[in-house]
Amino acid sequence: MEHSTRLTRSRVIGGIGALAATAIVLTGCSSGGSSDSTDSASDGDLTPVSLQLQWFSQAQFAGYYAALDQGFYEKEGLDVTILEGATDIVPIDVLTGGDADFAISWVPKVLGSIEQGAAVTDIAQIFERSGTTQVSMKDKNITMAADLSGKTVGSWGYGNEWELFAGMNKADVKLDDISLVAQAFDMNGFLAGDIDAAQAMTYNEYAQVLETENPATGELFTPDELNVIDWNTEGTAMLQDAIWADSDRLADDADYADTAVKFIKASIEGWAYARDNPEEAANIVTASGSQLGESHQLWMTNEVNKLIWPSTSGVGTINQDQWDQTVKIAMDTPNETGATVISEEPPATAFSNEYVEKALAELKDEGVDVMGEGYTPIDVTLKEGGE
């Protein structure tokens, strides 16, 4: 399917204006999108909505870019602006500061903010599975958390370490049993041999290794040369990418609550599009200005789809057992300083299925597959450097 994308860039004003974050607005011109959303928006027919991402434009957020490009947001009467993240942008701070209407962030990171007073609600749990792993070379014989004992273990920190620490705790591996290394957000230390087991997202850093030439063979590394600890398998996975809304606005502003349902609905339709059209979705993200290579972008789209599909209860539903596991780990797992994410149960307002259930009901009535029971990943061939 051919599609064209018109990009406009503007500075984000308000609380994050000083950070010079980039707002990206895509207007879809392919079949399924409307013919002229820019004119509609100028006529005042659409409700302006801003979404704060937790990182730069990449296929981790393919569903939102696809919903924008394909006109799904416009179909719901929304004029959506996507705000890119950066290392110094905390999505929940942007949301609570009034500079975004919705934000994408990991649940454990937000639980800490909620305990500190942030009034926000998880209104759609898009990623049902965790994408966090520990990757090692085959000859290190690290296949499970128990094998980390005596090894040099990389961790990004900044709230990304909790699944690792929980997995070690479950396997009775103490922090004193490993050499913990502050890992950069890349795999350079791992590839240099300074880290035995490195933290890696399935959709990003793991691919970085597979995009690199193995000096011993002269060919790119292959999965057969690596071992991966999957926290989903180890039983310490925590909920990641979710759509967050302002709790007070949900309670006090009926229009905002209605907009939340529309935003969730269109976003899920965007993720269904990314599931069924991964190549097109990857191209849409690339056209948004992402700096990642084409094969890496497609790999990321494919791997993120695996975290969503098939869905247990309908995409976006917050499953109580998964929420409870995330909260328990956040309360019971200490980091290297002895601190936990939270000290007590979060309030009832921390998540709600009210809005996603309405969105799912409408999507089902319109024939959109929100379960993906027959989902099958595609095969992606990575090129050197992800090009």
Side-chain angles (χ1 to χ4, degrees):
M1 179 187 301
E2 294 184 356
H3 73 274
S4 60
T5 305
R6 182 164 61 252
L7 301 175
T8 62
R9 296 183 177 269
S10 61
R11 296 296 184 189
V12 181
I13 60 175
I16 58 173
L19 299 177
T22 304
I24 302 178
V25 182
L26 293 83
T27 303
C29 302
S30 57
S31 61
S34 70
S35 60
D36 199 340
S37 64
T38 303
D39 291 344
S40 297
S42 65
D43 292 338
D45 295 335
L46 305 181
T47 300
V49 172
S50 54
L51 171 67
Q52 177 64 58
L53 302 181
Q54 58 186 345
W55 197 238
F56 298 104
S57 171
Q58 59 182 24
Q60 177 183 354
F61 314 111
Y64 310 108
Y65 284 103
L68 199 50
D69 181 86
Q70 293 297 297
F72 300 146
Y73 289 129
E74 183 183 7
K75 184 174 64 175
E76 295 302 316
L78 306 179
D79 177 20
V80 172
T81 298
I82 295 179
L83 309 175
E84 289 190 72
T87 55
D88 49 2
I89 292 177
V90 179
I92 294 304
D93 289 350
V94 178
L95 175 62
T96 58
D99 295 307
D101 296 298
F102 303 103
I104 307 300
S105 191
W106 287 13
V107 172
K109 295 182 180 182
V110 182
L111 289 177
S113 297
I114 291 174
E115 185 159 281
Q116 295 170 22
V120 293
T121 301
D122 179 350
I123 57 171
Q125 186 59 51
I126 300 300
F127 285 12
E128 185 172 332
R129 302 164 190 87
S130 169
T132 310
T133 67
Q134 293 292 134
V135 175
S136 59
M137 294 297 180
K138 208 79 168 183
D139 61 5
K140 298 295 182 180
N141 297 315
I142 304 172
T143 61
M144 60 184 70
D147 298 329
L148 293 172
S149 183
K151 301 298 194 298
T152 301
V153 180
S155 173
W156 297 315
Y158 298 104
N160 297 290
E161 68 272 26
W162 300 109
E163 291 166 297
L164 165 63
F165 289 168
M168 290 169 49
N169 188 49
K170 185 177 179 181
D172 198 29
V173 177
K174 312 300 182 188
L175 280 168
D176 290 343
D177 296 333
I178 69 169
S179 176
L180 186 65
V181 174
Q183 180 183 332
F185 286 95
D186 56 43
M187 298 301 277
N188 293 339
F190 172 72
L191 291 167
D194 299 328
I195 298 173
D196 295 327
Q199 198 158 49
M201 303 306 294
T202 56
Y203 50 78
N204 195 1
E205 289 79 15
Y206 179 62
Q208 290 176 20
V209 178
L210 301 178
E211 296 162 358
T212 303
E213 181 182 303
N214 181 345
T217 65
E219 304 291 336
L220 298 185
F221 280 103
T222 67
D224 291 341
E225 297 172 294
L226 305 171
N227 282 328
V228 177
I229 298 176
D230 182 344
W231 300 121
N232 298 285
T233 302
E234 294 281 315
T236 59
M238 301 177 84
L239 293 172
Q240 299 188 342
D241 288 31
I243 300 174
W244 295 86
D246 185 304
S247 305
D248 294 334
R249 289 181 67 187
L250 287 173
D252 300 335
D253 186 344
D255 289 338
Y256 178 69
D258 181 60
T259 295
V261 174
K262 293 176 180 178
F263 181 79
I264 294 169
K265 179 183 176 184
S267 297
I268 291 175
E269 190 168 6
W271 282 113
Y273 178 89
R275 174 197 67 207
D276 298 337
N277 307 276
E279 293 90 351
E280 290 85 345
N283 290 337
I284 289 169
V285 179
T286 298
S288 76
S290 177
Q291 300 302 303
L292 298 176
E294 290 184 6
S295 72
H296 188 98
Q297 202 78 264
L298 182 57
W299 174 280
M300 184 177 288
T301 304
N302 194 44
E303 292 302 315
V304 165
N305 273 331
K306 295 177 186 178
L307 305 181
I308 302 171
W309 312 102
S311 172
T312 301
S313 309
V315 172
T317 303
I318 302 103
N319 295 316
Q320 188 69 53
D321 60 336
Q322 294 175 324
W323 178 269
D324 290 345
Q325 177 170 299
T326 298
V327 169
K328 180 174 174 54
I329 291 172
M331 291 180 62
D332 296 348
T333 304
N335 64 10
E336 66 271 30
T337 69
T340 58
V341 181
I342 53 177
S343 60
E344 59 186 22
E345 292 273 351
T349 53
F351 84 87
S352 173
N353 279 318
E354 174 184 352
Y355 310 96
V356 68
E357 286 175 353
K358 292 178 181 178
L360 289 171
E362 292 182 17
L363 287 167
K364 290 175 183 176
D365 287 343
E366 295 172 12
V368 177
D369 178 7
V370 299
M371 300 299 293
E373 292 178 354
Y375 167 69
T376 302
I378 63 172
D379 292 324
V380 178
T381 301
L382 286 166
K383 300 179 181 179
E384 186 170 1
E387 296 302 316

